[in-house]
Amino acid sequence: MGGAQSLELPPAKGPHKVGCTDVMADGTRQGSFFRLYYPCEASGQVKQPRWIPQYEYCGGLADYLDRNKRWCAPALNLAFGYHEVPVEWNAPFKTAEKYPLIIFSHGLGAFRTVYSAVCNEIASRGFIVAAVEHRDESACTTFFFKSPVEDLEQQVEATTSAEQFAWRPESPQAHPPTLEEEWLPYRKLVKGEDEFSLRNEQVHQRVAECSRTLDLFTDINNGKLITNVLLGNLDLSIMKGCIDLQRVAVMGHSFGGSTAILAVTKDLRFRCAVALDSWMFPLKDDIYPKVLRPVLFVNSETFQTDDSINKMKRLHSTDNEIKIITIKGSVHQSQTDFTLLTGQFLSMAFETKGTIDPVEGLDITTKASLAFLQRHSDLRKDFDQWDALLEGNGEHVILIT
């Protein structure tokens, strides 16, 4: 693999420039928190956000990996802390049309920015993408604010200082001084604890958070004033009337894949689901007959077992389309940004790269996803040029039947 200088997130290839912001709709643990990718206008002053939004996420990753935080967190910060996402931070939203919406759910031990390459590429093709950061204790860490929400709203309204409005989440001063963060760590299994009970409870909370995020976009589209307690970020009111709520899909990786599957059974506003290397373990058997929406599975070659593939096949019914494809030479981390940002040593330690070129693997993932989204969201786009991938036609693609 190349040296550290060549490790970076690729720019998106679609026709739209992509803007990015963070949204925390209220400061409580129950509120929506997500990174938003959206088509934007070109802005004169381009700022790119850090890929690791705050140092605490390095400590969270160390905890999740069960490494000593005192040495591992600084090492992770050294390896990843300088990376930036090739998007325009808080760029003006492009109001030219109505955009379909994707709610994206992250995997176990991840956080909202870990799928920036996929989310950025999809947004560049004319989508609004909200990458939720889950508060079910499955993220490596996340945060909310200790103040009651009414206090936060008063503080937001009262804050006029230019210095505070210049605040960015990746800056060393990670929040306005009046707001105190409370960090929620990754919850490890207790010895003797039944894992299925925990994961099933978490996947239901995750679905509720995805639906709550969709509720928020419904309010934004209808012109309701939404307070973003992360001061100085994009004014969401500009998106009024620009969200195509008839074309909403849910997407996720690993634990986020099972979240996407359960979401289409519980919230019929989601027209289809894209499950990237889905972890099927958290789902109860009784949900399989209830999946009446189309689902695309994009699997890696190494993660899936015969048992999980059989579970995916059980979703077939006369009322929906289920597609299962495998990307040859890919590993579980091939659909995350880690596959692009790790060199040879870290890749061997954590198996972040397969034999397929990381950029090529992610290209197949996004193109297959876009073809499926066009087919099942009635989009007037040219994504059907990649329909062959959904049939297993391609050098690195296998169709599972």
Side-chain angles (χ1 to χ4, degrees):
M1 300 295 169
Q5 293 304 310
S6 64
L7 301 174
E8 58 187 12
L9 298 177
K13 303 183 189 74
H16 296 274
K17 290 185 179 296
V18 178
C20 180
T21 195
D22 279 334
V23 177
M24 193 182 289
D26 70 41
T28 70
R29 183 172 172 176
Q30 289 71 41
S32 293
F33 184 27
F34 53 89
R35 175 149 287 191
L36 183 64
Y37 306 80
Y38 55 90
C40 74
E41 304 284 1
S43 57
Q45 197 174 14
V46 177
K47 293 179 181 177
Q48 294 187 338
R50 295 280 185 187
W51 182 67
I52 300 270
Q54 292 169 237
Y55 181 79
E56 285 86 349
Y57 289 95
C58 295
L61 285 170
D63 276 345
Y64 172 69
L65 295 169
D66 214 17
R67 301 295 200 274
N68 186 310
K69 195 186 287 190
R70 282 201 296 182
W71 68 263
C72 189
L76 288 167
N77 188 50
L78 190 65
F80 299 115
Y82 65 92
H83 287 295
E84 294 183 336
V85 183
V87 292
E88 298 191 21
W89 186 251
N90 284 329
F93 178 78
K94 190 176 183 181
T95 57
E97 57 185 280
K98 293 186 80 160
Y99 303 104
L101 173 66
I102 308 286
I103 307 295
F104 194 100
S105 174
H106 64 70
L108 196 66
F111 48 97
R112 68 189 183 280
T113 71
V114 168
Y115 304 89
S116 292
V118 169
C119 294
N120 184 17
E121 181 62 29
I122 291 174
S124 79
R125 304 287 178 173
F127 290 81
I128 295 168
V129 184
V132 175
E133 189 161 290
H134 290 294
R135 266 81 172 267
D136 62 332
E137 299 176 277
S138 69
C140 73
T141 191
T142 186
F143 71 96
F144 50 95
F145 291 113
K146 291 182 179 179
S147 302
V149 64
E150 59 270 18
D151 292 351
L152 286 171
E153 288 176 347
Q154 289 168 11
Q155 290 163 14
V156 170
E157 289 168 7
T159 301
T160 55
S161 139
E163 181 183 356
Q164 288 190 1
F165 271 99
W167 167 75
R168 296 170 67 201
E170 65 276 6
S171 64
Q173 176 61 45
H175 53 80
T178 50
L179 303 182
E180 188 180 356
E181 292 169 357
E182 182 158 335
W183 285 85
L184 186 67
Y186 174 75
R187 184 189 179 305
K188 295 183 180 180
L189 279 170
V190 180
K191 189 175 181 181
E193 182 178 16
D194 176 52
E195 184 174 13
F196 177 78
S197 298
L198 171 63
R199 301 308 182 200
N200 185 254
E201 181 182 341
Q202 287 177 320
V203 77
H204 280 273
Q205 179 176 333
R206 288 163 144 263
V207 169
E209 290 172 343
C210 289
S211 290
R212 199 178 304 138
T213 302
L214 179 48
D215 292 341
L216 185 76
F217 278 99
T218 303
D219 287 342
I220 292 167
N221 198 58
N222 291 337
K224 184 176 178 181
L225 184 63
I226 302 298
T227 300
N228 184 1
V229 299
L230 302 177
L231 303 179
N233 285 7
L234 182 76
D235 178 4
L236 300 173
S237 64
I238 195 173
M239 299 171 71
K240 177 184 176 182
C242 293
I243 306 163
D244 190 343
L245 295 170
Q246 302 306 308
R247 293 177 172 84
V248 181
V250 59
M251 187 172 181
H253 174 254
S254 194
F255 205 175
S258 54
T259 304
I261 295 162
L262 184 61
V264 293
T265 72
K266 294 176 72 74
D267 190 336
L268 293 181
R269 293 177 296 175
F270 294 115
R271 288 183 62 158
C272 61
V274 177
L276 306 180
D277 219 13
S278 182
W279 187 34
M280 303 301 286
F281 173 77
L283 300 173
K284 283 187 176 177
D285 285 347
D286 64 0
I287 77 112
Y288 293 99
K290 300 174 186 173
V291 180
L292 301 178
R293 293 288 199 233
V295 180
L296 170 65
F297 292 96
V298 185
N299 294 338
S300 73
E301 205 168 23
T302 60
F303 180 71
Q304 298 300 338
T305 63
D306 290 342
D307 179 60
S308 63
I309 294 288
N310 288 334
K311 287 179 177 178
M312 294 173 189
K313 290 179 177 179
R314 286 177 58 192
L315 294 181
H316 278 289
S317 79
T318 55
D319 298 320
N320 61 356
E321 181 183 25
I322 305 297
K323 287 287 184 185
I324 309 170
I325 62 172
T326 297
I327 300 177
K328 290 188 281 186
S330 62
V331 297
H332 193 52
Q333 295 297 326
S334 292
Q335 291 160 332
T336 75
D337 295 343
F338 286 109
T339 197
L340 299 160
L341 301 180
T342 48
Q344 198 163 8
F345 176 74
L346 282 175
S347 176
M348 286 189 298
F350 299 110
E351 200 185 8
T352 58
K353 297 181 193 287
T355 56
I356 191 170
D357 175 79
V359 174
E360 188 172 4
L362 280 167
D363 201 45
I364 294 169
T365 293
T366 53
K367 285 176 177 176
S369 300
L370 288 164
F372 192 80
L373 290 167
Q374 170 157 329
R375 183 180 294 185
H376 296 292
S377 297
D378 191 28
L379 300 174
R380 293 175 179 84
K381 300 282 188 178
D382 61 354
F383 308 149
D384 53 352
Q385 65 182 297
W386 303 308
D387 274 352
L389 294 172
L390 302 177
E391 308 307 325
N393 296 322
E395 182 184 353
H396 300 287
V397 185
I398 304 166
L399 179 66
I400 308 294
T401 56

